Amino acid sequence: FFQKTLNAVQSWFTLFGWSKGQNPISIPYSLRSDVCIVQLTVAQEKNFKRRVDKDKSFYEMLLNLNGQSIPGIAASQSLSTDPVERMFQLHWQHSELLSFLKRKGALLPHIMPEFLLAPEDYELWSEVNTGLRRASMRSSGKLSGRRTFVLENRTFETMSKRAWTDVLLQMYKVFVLPRVSSRMVPDPSSLESLQNMPGIKSEPLCSNVYSRYERTILIWLNKNYEKNRKIVWKDSERGGIPPMRWIVNFDQDLLDGLVLAAQMAGYCPYLIPTHFIKMYTNPRTHEQFLHNALIFVKALHTINMDLDIKV
């Protein structure tokens, strides 16, 4: 599940995260590199300069999505050639990034700045902090400061991958989802059938799972599905018109492809006789679920929405 989430995040930010076309990213490798715009290595002999006009940085992507940069951090900047100074500079950058995102509403209490470092810099950070704590103990007889958790190389890579994925997910939540408009024009033809369906409130404190903007999308899914299900599958030969449903999540309720097909049919009705009419409207088996998913993906390809979706 986590790997599928990571792949989806990579695909979205590759396609839509940048102001001037696509830019492939790899979590966490290219992101850990992109935060170092000009000089990017630990060993002195490996120093090199990136072509700023060609390469795109993580902070350039953040600026594109947010419209403002983090105070004190430019999109293009150089790092110290001294390994320790550079490590502290990167750690400070990551601290400022996390603080900035939290002020915007991101939930990242589990992410420490050091988890966003490259492995070499993390190793150096661990050595420096361990040395400081030991020196403090020798001078005062007790440890001071917050406890330092030193992760093994393999564990750190896993943690780093998870940390960067969560950072990008929270960036999507605070910078992209708020673009969803809450203005929804009631459709008289669908209001009558929706009267007996439980409502989904969009107020900020109505859910501890979904944000206000995510609940707005759920409302949109419910209204479009109820409006279109009798139109899309009125001539269905694979189960008839699907029953009314209450869509309350983005995983289980979308698995059979019918809700997503109903949304697309509202904008591309010409796909109904060529694609959606062939879907199972009451799927029971894994084969029927897969059948519906394949049809939906083919419909995406037909309208050239090739988002690298794999069934």
Side-chain angles (χ1 to χ4, degrees):
F1 173 81
F2 173 71
Q3 187 60 45
K4 290 181 179 179
T5 302
L6 184 148
N7 292 339
V9 171
Q10 283 186 164
S11 295
W12 192 93
F13 280 89
T14 291
L15 294 171
F16 308 113
W18 312 89
S19 60
K20 298 179 181 179
Q22 302 178 15
N23 183 48
I25 66 169
S26 175
I27 301 173
Y29 312 108
S30 62
L31 298 177
R32 292 188 308 210
S33 300
D34 281 345
V35 295
C36 315
I37 305 307
V38 178
Q39 293 169 342
L40 172 75
T41 51
V42 171
Q44 177 71 28
E45 64 271 15
K46 294 181 182 178
N47 282 342
F48 65 96
K49 290 190 175 182
R50 300 182 63 187
R51 293 172 56 186
V52 178
D53 59 334
K54 178 181 178 181
D55 294 336
K56 302 178 181 179
S57 75
F58 169 82
Y59 289 103
E60 181 182 342
M61 179 177 68
L62 187 146
L63 176 62
N64 175 56
L65 295 175
N66 177 46
Q68 65 181 99
S69 58
I70 300 175
I73 300 179
S76 297
Q77 57 188 323
S78 60
L79 297 174
S80 172
T81 57
D82 179 77
V84 176
E85 290 184 4
R86 182 181 55 254
M87 178 271 294
F88 279 122
Q89 184 177 350
L90 287 172
H91 193 274
W92 172 81
Q93 281 187 198
H94 297 326
S95 298
E96 292 298 305
L97 167 65
L98 294 174
S99 297
F100 178 78
L101 294 177
K102 289 175 184 177
R103 289 195 298 271
K104 294 292 184 178
L107 300 177
L108 294 166
H110 59 298
I111 305 300
M112 298 293 104
E114 51 268 24
F115 297 158
L116 304 178
L117 294 170
E120 299 86 355
D121 289 317
Y122 176 77
E123 183 178 353
L124 187 58
W125 176 88
S126 302
E127 293 175 358
V128 170
N129 279 272
T130 301
L132 290 175
R133 287 174 61 82
R134 289 174 178 172
S136 173
M137 184 175 182
R138 285 195 298 267
S139 61
S140 64
K142 60 180 180 179
L143 292 176
S144 61
R146 71 178 179 89
R147 185 177 179 184
T148 302
F149 293 94
V150 179
L151 305 176
E152 297 179 353
N153 291 342
R154 185 174 180 179
T155 304
F156 171 76
E157 281 294 342
T158 301
M159 179 63 73
S160 181
K161 183 180 295 186
R162 181 61 183 267
W164 277 107
T165 301
D166 288 350
V167 165
L168 292 179
L169 284 171
Q170 291 298 309
M171 285 175 56
Y172 183 89
K173 187 187 82 169
V174 299
F175 297 147
V176 180
L177 278 182
R179 302 174 189 174
V180 175
S181 174
S182 59
R183 294 181 300 172
M184 306 187 70
V185 180
D187 186 345
S189 65
S190 64
L191 287 180
E192 182 178 354
S193 59
L194 287 172
Q195 287 179 351
N196 297 325
M197 180 182 294
I200 296 177
K201 297 181 179 180
S202 59
E203 286 77 8
L205 301 180
C206 289
S207 173
N208 62 349
V209 176
Y210 292 131
S211 68
R212 176 179 58 183
Y213 311 106
E214 289 169 309
R215 294 197 299 280
T216 298
I217 295 175
L218 287 174
I219 294 172
W220 173 72
L221 289 173
N222 276 284
K223 289 190 174 182
N224 273 342
Y225 174 76
E226 185 55 32
K227 174 185 175 182
N228 294 327
R229 66 184 178 91
K230 296 179 181 179
I231 299 174
V232 178
W233 292 287
K234 64 179 180 179
D235 299 321
S236 171
E237 298 179 357
R238 296 181 184 271
I241 296 175
M244 177 187 290
R245 66 170 68 177
W246 189 27
I247 304 156
V248 296
N249 57 61
F250 295 100
D251 45 16
Q252 294 296 320
D253 290 341
L254 305 184
L255 278 180
D256 60 12
L258 296 176
V259 175
L260 295 175
Q263 314 309 310
M264 187 180 294
Y267 299 94
C268 306
Y270 54 84
L271 293 174
I272 296 175
T274 59
H275 292 76
F276 301 143
I277 198 68
K278 304 174 184 178
M279 299 176 77
Y280 288 96
T281 57
N282 191 25
R284 298 291 185 184
T285 66
H286 292 295
E287 290 76 15
Q288 291 174 344
F289 276 83
L290 177 61
H291 172 87
N292 285 0
L294 288 171
I295 289 179
F296 182 74
V297 171
K298 288 180 179 178
L300 288 175
H301 291 167
T302 300
I303 60 175
N304 294 321
M305 288 187 66
D306 300 333
L307 302 179
D308 193 32
I309 296 177
K310 297 180 176 62
V311 179

mmCIF file of all heavy atoms in Angstrom, residues 122-148:
data_model
loop_
_atom_site.group_PDB
_atom_site.id
_atom_site.type_symbol
_atom_site.label_atom_id
_atom_site.label_comp_id
_atom_site.label_asym_id
_atom_site.label_seq_id
_atom_site.Cartn_x
_atom_site.Cartn_y
_atom_site.Cartn_z
ATOM 1 N N TYR A 122 23.198 12.619 7.196
ATOM 2 C CA TYR A 122 22.580 12.090 8.413
ATOM 3 C C TYR A 122 23.627 11.419 9.294
ATOM 4 O O TYR A 122 23.602 11.565 10.528
ATOM 5 C CB TYR A 122 21.474 11.095 8.069
ATOM 6 C CG TYR A 122 20.871 10.452 9.293
ATOM 7 C CD1 TYR A 122 19.968 11.156 10.092
ATOM 8 C CD2 TYR A 122 21.216 9.154 9.672
ATOM 9 C CE1 TYR A 122 19.417 10.575 11.228
ATOM 10 C CE2 TYR A 122 20.671 8.579 10.794
ATOM 11 C CZ TYR A 122 19.773 9.288 11.580
ATOM 12 O OH TYR A 122 19.243 8.717 12.713
ATOM 13 N N GLU A 123 24.526 10.677 8.674
ATOM 14 C CA GLU A 123 25.596 10.038 9.444
ATOM 15 C C GLU A 123 26.460 11.090 10.146
ATOM 16 O O GLU A 123 26.823 10.936 11.325
ATOM 17 C CB GLU A 123 26.445 9.179 8.520
ATOM 18 C CG GLU A 123 27.544 8.400 9.235
ATOM 19 C CD GLU A 123 28.340 7.516 8.294
ATOM 20 O OE1 GLU A 123 27.952 7.406 7.110
ATOM 21 O OE2 GLU A 123 29.350 6.936 8.744
ATOM 22 N N LEU A 124 26.759 12.153 9.433
ATOM 23 C CA LEU A 124 27.540 13.231 10.025
ATOM 24 C C LEU A 124 26.769 13.920 11.137
ATOM 25 O O LEU A 124 27.322 14.248 12.193
ATOM 26 C CB LEU A 124 27.906 14.245 8.934
ATOM 27 C CG LEU A 124 28.872 15.377 9.314
ATOM 28 C CD1 LEU A 124 30.193 14.807 9.823
ATOM 29 C CD2 LEU A 124 29.109 16.279 8.106
ATOM 30 N N TRP A 125 25.468 14.135 10.921
ATOM 31 C CA TRP A 125 24.612 14.735 11.950
ATOM 32 C C TRP A 125 24.602 13.874 13.202
ATOM 33 O O TRP A 125 24.672 14.389 14.334
ATOM 34 C CB TRP A 125 23.192 14.902 11.404
ATOM 35 C CG TRP A 125 22.203 15.429 12.398
ATOM 36 C CD1 TRP A 125 21.911 16.728 12.671
ATOM 37 C CD2 TRP A 125 21.370 14.643 13.263
ATOM 38 N NE1 TRP A 125 20.961 16.816 13.647
ATOM 39 C CE2 TRP A 125 20.601 15.543 14.035
ATOM 40 C CE3 TRP A 125 21.197 13.276 13.460
ATOM 41 C CZ2 TRP A 125 19.682 15.113 14.985
ATOM 42 C CZ3 TRP A 125 20.280 12.852 14.408
ATOM 43 C CH2 TRP A 125 19.540 13.755 15.156
ATOM 44 N N SER A 126 24.512 12.548 13.042
ATOM 45 C CA SER A 126 24.502 11.629 14.184
ATOM 46 C C SER A 126 25.810 11.704 14.957
ATOM 47 O O SER A 126 25.813 11.736 16.195
ATOM 48 C CB SER A 126 24.259 10.198 13.699
ATOM 49 O OG SER A 126 23.043 10.098 12.981
ATOM 50 N N GLU A 127 26.932 11.734 14.226
ATOM 51 C CA GLU A 127 28.237 11.800 14.885
ATOM 52 C C GLU A 127 28.386 13.093 15.667
ATOM 53 O O GLU A 127 28.850 13.092 16.819
ATOM 54 C CB GLU A 127 29.347 11.679 13.837
ATOM 55 C CG GLU A 127 29.415 10.322 13.161
ATOM 56 C CD GLU A 127 30.454 10.300 12.057
ATOM 57 O OE1 GLU A 127 31.082 11.368 11.818
ATOM 58 O OE2 GLU A 127 30.647 9.245 11.428
ATOM 59 N N VAL A 128 27.998 14.201 15.065
ATOM 60 C CA VAL A 128 28.137 15.501 15.733
ATOM 61 C C VAL A 128 27.255 15.567 16.973
ATOM 62 O O VAL A 128 27.703 15.992 18.046
ATOM 63 C CB VAL A 128 27.789 16.646 14.758
ATOM 64 C CG1 VAL A 128 27.702 17.973 15.512
ATOM 65 C CG2 VAL A 128 28.819 16.726 13.645
ATOM 66 N N ASN A 129 26.012 15.132 16.859
ATOM 67 C CA ASN A 129 25.103 15.213 17.996
ATOM 68 C C ASN A 129 25.481 14.244 19.103
ATOM 69 O O ASN A 129 25.347 14.563 20.283
ATOM 70 C CB ASN A 129 23.662 14.946 17.538
ATOM 71 C CG ASN A 129 23.010 16.168 16.934
ATOM 72 O OD1 ASN A 129 22.410 16.969 17.639
ATOM 73 N ND2 ASN A 129 23.146 16.316 15.635
ATOM 74 N N THR A 130 25.954 13.064 18.742
ATOM 75 C CA THR A 130 26.408 12.109 19.754
ATOM 76 C C THR A 130 27.617 12.667 20.495
ATOM 77 O O THR A 130 27.724 12.572 21.727
ATOM 78 C CB THR A 130 26.758 10.766 19.105
ATOM 79 O OG1 THR A 130 25.609 10.243 18.436
ATOM 80 C CG2 THR A 130 27.225 9.767 20.160
ATOM 81 N N GLY A 131 28.543 13.291 19.753
ATOM 82 C CA GLY A 131 29.711 13.895 20.385
ATOM 83 C C GLY A 131 29.340 15.027 21.315
ATOM 84 O O GLY A 131 29.905 15.171 22.411
ATOM 85 N N LEU A 132 28.373 15.853 20.919
ATOM 86 C CA LEU A 132 27.939 16.969 21.754
ATOM 87 C C LEU A 132 27.296 16.479 23.048
ATOM 88 O O LEU A 132 27.519 17.043 24.123
ATOM 89 C CB LEU A 132 26.957 17.857 20.974
ATOM 90 C CG LEU A 132 27.547 18.672 19.818
ATOM 91 C CD1 LEU A 132 26.435 19.400 19.068
ATOM 92 C CD2 LEU A 132 28.565 19.682 20.345
ATOM 93 N N ARG A 133 26.508 15.425 22.954
ATOM 94 C CA ARG A 133 25.842 14.900 24.146
ATOM 95 C C ARG A 133 26.868 14.297 25.116
ATOM 96 O O ARG A 133 26.755 14.437 26.340
ATOM 97 C CB ARG A 133 24.794 13.851 23.747
ATOM 98 C CG ARG A 133 23.546 14.457 23.105
ATOM 99 C CD ARG A 133 22.613 13.383 22.587
ATOM 100 N NE ARG A 133 22.148 12.515 23.658
ATOM 101 C CZ ARG A 133 21.143 12.811 24.484
ATOM 102 N NH1 ARG A 133 20.533 13.970 24.386
ATOM 103 N NH2 ARG A 133 20.759 11.964 25.420
ATOM 104 N N ARG A 134 27.859 13.606 24.561
ATOM 105 C CA ARG A 134 28.889 13.026 25.425
ATOM 106 C C ARG A 134 29.700 14.116 26.100
ATOM 107 O O ARG A 134 30.033 14.013 27.298
ATOM 108 C CB ARG A 134 29.787 12.111 24.608
ATOM 109 C CG ARG A 134 29.103 10.817 24.175
ATOM 110 C CD ARG A 134 30.001 10.020 23.250
ATOM 111 N NE ARG A 134 29.373 8.756 22.866
ATOM 112 C CZ ARG A 134 29.865 7.934 21.950
ATOM 113 N NH1 ARG A 134 31.002 8.251 21.327
ATOM 114 N NH2 ARG A 134 29.234 6.808 21.660
ATOM 115 N N ALA A 135 30.013 15.175 25.348
ATOM 116 C CA ALA A 135 30.756 16.289 25.942
ATOM 117 C C ALA A 135 29.950 16.959 27.033
ATOM 118 O O ALA A 135 30.480 17.343 28.090
ATOM 119 C CB ALA A 135 31.118 17.298 24.852
ATOM 120 N N SER A 136 28.642 17.078 26.807
ATOM 121 C CA SER A 136 27.773 17.686 27.813
ATOM 122 C C SER A 136 27.715 16.840 29.075
ATOM 123 O O SER A 136 27.714 17.353 30.194
ATOM 124 C CB SER A 136 26.361 17.867 27.237
ATOM 125 O OG SER A 136 25.466 18.305 28.224
ATOM 126 N N MET A 137 27.705 15.517 28.894
ATOM 127 C CA MET A 137 27.645 14.632 30.047
ATOM 128 C C MET A 137 28.935 14.697 30.861
ATOM 129 O O MET A 137 28.912 14.684 32.104
ATOM 130 C CB MET A 137 27.380 13.197 29.578
ATOM 131 C CG MET A 137 27.207 12.201 30.713
ATOM 132 S SD MET A 137 26.764 10.564 30.119
ATOM 133 C CE MET A 137 26.582 9.694 31.689
ATOM 134 N N ARG A 138 30.062 14.784 30.155
ATOM 135 C CA ARG A 138 31.337 14.849 30.875
ATOM 136 C C ARG A 138 31.464 16.149 31.673
ATOM 137 O O ARG A 138 32.022 16.166 32.770
ATOM 138 C CB ARG A 138 32.495 14.742 29.873
ATOM 139 C CG ARG A 138 32.714 13.337 29.341
ATOM 140 C CD ARG A 138 34.067 13.219 28.664
ATOM 141 N NE ARG A 138 34.161 14.119 27.510
ATOM 142 C CZ ARG A 138 33.859 13.763 26.271
ATOM 143 N NH1 ARG A 138 33.434 12.539 26.013
ATOM 144 N NH2 ARG A 138 33.997 14.624 25.282
ATOM 145 N N SER A 139 30.925 17.226 31.132
ATOM 146 C CA SER A 139 31.077 18.525 31.800
ATOM 147 C C SER A 139 30.062 18.743 32.916
ATOM 148 O O SER A 139 30.358 19.373 33.924
ATOM 149 C CB SER A 139 30.956 19.661 30.780
ATOM 150 O OG SER A 139 29.673 19.633 30.168
ATOM 151 N N SER A 140 28.850 18.202 32.740
ATOM 152 C CA SER A 140 27.792 18.461 33.730
ATOM 153 C C SER A 140 27.379 17.233 34.512
ATOM 154 O O SER A 140 26.669 17.344 35.516
ATOM 155 C CB SER A 140 26.563 19.043 33.020
ATOM 156 O OG SER A 140 26.017 18.104 32.107
ATOM 157 N N GLY A 141 27.786 16.078 34.048
ATOM 158 C CA GLY A 141 27.424 14.840 34.733
ATOM 159 C C GLY A 141 26.066 14.307 34.349
ATOM 160 O O GLY A 141 25.607 13.305 34.896
ATOM 161 N N LYS A 142 25.374 14.970 33.428
ATOM 162 C CA LYS A 142 24.061 14.485 32.974
ATOM 163 C C LYS A 142 23.850 14.905 31.527
ATOM 164 O O LYS A 142 24.467 15.850 31.034
ATOM 165 C CB LYS A 142 22.935 15.026 33.843
ATOM 166 C CG LYS A 142 22.843 16.546 33.844
ATOM 167 C CD LYS A 142 21.705 17.013 34.721
ATOM 168 C CE LYS A 142 21.621 18.550 34.724
ATOM 169 N NZ LYS A 142 20.502 19.017 35.569
ATOM 170 N N LEU A 143 22.955 14.186 30.853
ATOM 171 C CA LEU A 143 22.656 14.497 29.461
ATOM 172 C C LEU A 143 21.711 15.675 29.379
ATOM 173 O O LEU A 143 20.861 15.866 30.239
ATOM 174 C CB LEU A 143 22.016 13.283 28.770
ATOM 175 C CG LEU A 143 22.920 12.058 28.566
ATOM 176 C CD1 LEU A 143 22.113 10.929 27.961
ATOM 177 C CD2 LEU A 143 24.104 12.398 27.677
ATOM 178 N N SER A 144 21.880 16.481 28.350
ATOM 179 C CA SER A 144 20.993 17.620 28.147
ATOM 180 C C SER A 144 20.495 17.624 26.718
ATOM 181 O O SER A 144 21.058 16.988 25.833
ATOM 182 C CB SER A 144 21.739 18.933 28.423
ATOM 183 O OG SER A 144 22.842 19.067 27.539
ATOM 184 N N GLY A 145 19.408 18.370 26.468
ATOM 185 C CA GLY A 145 18.846 18.456 25.127
ATOM 186 C C GLY A 145 17.966 17.263 24.824
ATOM 187 O O GLY A 145 17.849 16.314 25.607
ATOM 188 N N ARG A 146 17.294 17.320 23.662
ATOM 189 C CA ARG A 146 16.395 16.217 23.322
ATOM 190 C C ARG A 146 17.195 14.984 22.936
ATOM 191 O O ARG A 146 18.299 15.077 22.422
ATOM 192 C CB ARG A 146 15.459 16.623 22.178
ATOM 193 C CG ARG A 146 16.113 16.771 20.814
ATOM 194 C CD ARG A 146 15.056 17.133 19.788
ATOM 195 N NE ARG A 146 15.606 17.314 18.466
ATOM 196 C CZ ARG A 146 15.751 16.348 17.580
ATOM 197 N NH1 ARG A 146 15.409 15.117 17.904
ATOM 198 N NH2 ARG A 146 16.260 16.593 16.380
ATOM 199 N N ARG A 147 16.611 13.841 23.193
ATOM 200 C CA ARG A 147 17.276 12.577 22.927
ATOM 201 C C ARG A 147 17.512 12.384 21.429
ATOM 202 O O ARG A 147 16.672 12.719 20.599
ATOM 203 C CB ARG A 147 16.426 11.427 23.459
ATOM 204 C CG ARG A 147 17.094 10.067 23.349
ATOM 205 C CD ARG A 147 16.222 9.002 23.971
ATOM 206 N NE ARG A 147 16.837 7.693 23.861
ATOM 207 C CZ ARG A 147 16.253 6.573 24.261
ATOM 208 N NH1 ARG A 147 15.063 6.618 24.829
ATOM 209 N NH2 ARG A 147 16.862 5.407 24.125
ATOM 210 N N THR A 148 18.668 11.875 21.064
ATOM 211 C CA THR A 148 19.018 11.649 19.673
ATOM 212 C C THR A 148 18.821 10.178 19.323
ATOM 213 O O THR A 148 19.408 9.292 19.955
ATOM 214 C CB THR A 148 20.485 12.042 19.406
ATOM 215 O OG1 THR A 148 20.669 13.414 19.744
ATOM 216 C CG2 THR A 148 20.833 11.834 17.939
#
